[in-house]
Amino acid sequence: MVRIVSLVSGSGTNLQALLDAIGHRGPSYGAEVVAVGADRHGIEGLARAERAGVPTFVHRVRDFVDRAAWDRAMTASVEAYAPDLVLSAGFMKILGPAFMAAFRDRVVNTHPALLPSFPGAHGVRDALRYGVKVTGCTVHFVDEGVDTGPIIAQQAVPVEPDDDEAVLHERIKTVERRLLVDVVGRLARDGYRIEGRKVYIP
Ligand code: GAR
């Protein structure tokens, strides 16, 4: 059974989709969420984990002397759960060098745009402002850059003329949650290898 630690910063609906899939499919899904970590208190993502009986931890950047110390604390807390995969599901902080050294090629992120277009914290807003007619979501491995790691899967979502950021983001998230559950399950059950920028799932 593949062990997943998920990191969240907000509402945690992607995490919920994963928890629901595991609840419905049981061991045949191939993965379990062993802990949920966050960079802030009081978010629905943590409440979802607690309701599911999953242990949680929180490290706020402001509680550490510097970003490197925060990064080491995140690394140690995640390592304590010995995960096979780390899932960044709406986690809005850049993971640092210590974290990447510990979990290279094992950190999966989901992003609400078709990378390499519109990376960063405002992928939906940036796509809307640019005026694209099609956007979408990307599930990818995390590297040192901002949303630059090897792409695992993408799905397109149309932009409608009257969309605002909230409406468009919700349309993307409906697709994103399904894609994430599908991709994480396949990575867990079938394994994968990364060659340069290409990800192969047998
Ligand atoms: C998701 O759309 C995810 O792609 C996005 O935050 C949302 C989290 O939703 N992440 C980023 O923008 C990262 N750059 P959720 O908390 O309901 O799962």
Side-chain angles (χ1 to χ4, degrees):
M1 188 70 70
V2 163
R3 296 168 62 82
I4 296 174
V5 171
S6 183
L7 304 178
V8 295
S9 297
S11 62
T13 65
N14 280 283
L15 168 65
Q16 187 69 59
L18 185 61
L19 293 169
D20 290 348
I22 292 167
H24 290 138
R25 292 193 48 177
S28 74
Y29 182 74
E32 58 184 333
V33 179
V34 294
V36 170
D39 62 332
R40 62 199 75 186
H41 294 283
I43 53 173
E44 184 59 19
L46 287 170
R48 291 176 191 278
E50 281 153 18
R51 286 198 292 273
V54 174
T56 62
F57 59 89
V58 176
H59 294 305
R60 303 189 305 174
V61 171
R62 73 173 86 149
D63 294 335
F64 294 86
V65 287
D66 57 19
R67 191 79 178 210
W70 171 80
D71 186 41
R72 286 193 296 273
M74 284 302 287
T75 305
S77 289
V78 173
E79 263 173 344
Y81 291 99
D84 302 294
L85 286 176
V86 178
L87 175 62
S88 162
F91 187 64
M92 302 306 279
K93 292 277 188 305
I94 308 293
L95 296 160
F99 199 95
M100 291 316 301
F103 299 110
R104 169 163 303 287
D105 294 348
R106 287 190 287 157
V107 187
V108 173
N109 181 49
T110 179
H111 182 75
L114 291 175
L115 295 171
S117 292
F118 313 117
H122 305 292
V124 179
R125 187 186 309 171
D126 293 345
L128 205 51
R129 283 196 183 147
Y130 196 92
V132 294
K133 304 297 186 194
V134 175
T135 184
C137 51
T138 302
V139 180
H140 66 98
F141 282 105
V142 175
D143 65 8
E144 278 74 14
V146 177
D147 300 327
T148 53
I151 290 171
I152 309 167
Q154 294 183 297
Q155 210 158 317
V157 173
V159 181
E160 303 296 348
D162 295 333
D163 279 350
D164 62 18
E165 186 179 348
V167 167
L168 177 57
H169 199 170
E170 203 43 55
R171 189 178 307 120
I172 292 169
K173 283 173 74 169
T174 303
V175 172
E176 183 181 25
R177 289 189 281 261
R178 279 200 299 267
L179 184 68
L180 185 69
V181 167
D182 175 60
V183 165
V184 168
R186 286 197 291 131
L187 292 173
R189 291 187 300 276
D190 301 335
Y192 61 90
R193 69 178 202 281
I194 304 172
E195 286 177 16
R197 292 210 50 84
K198 298 252 175 92
V199 179
Y200 297 94
I201 302 175

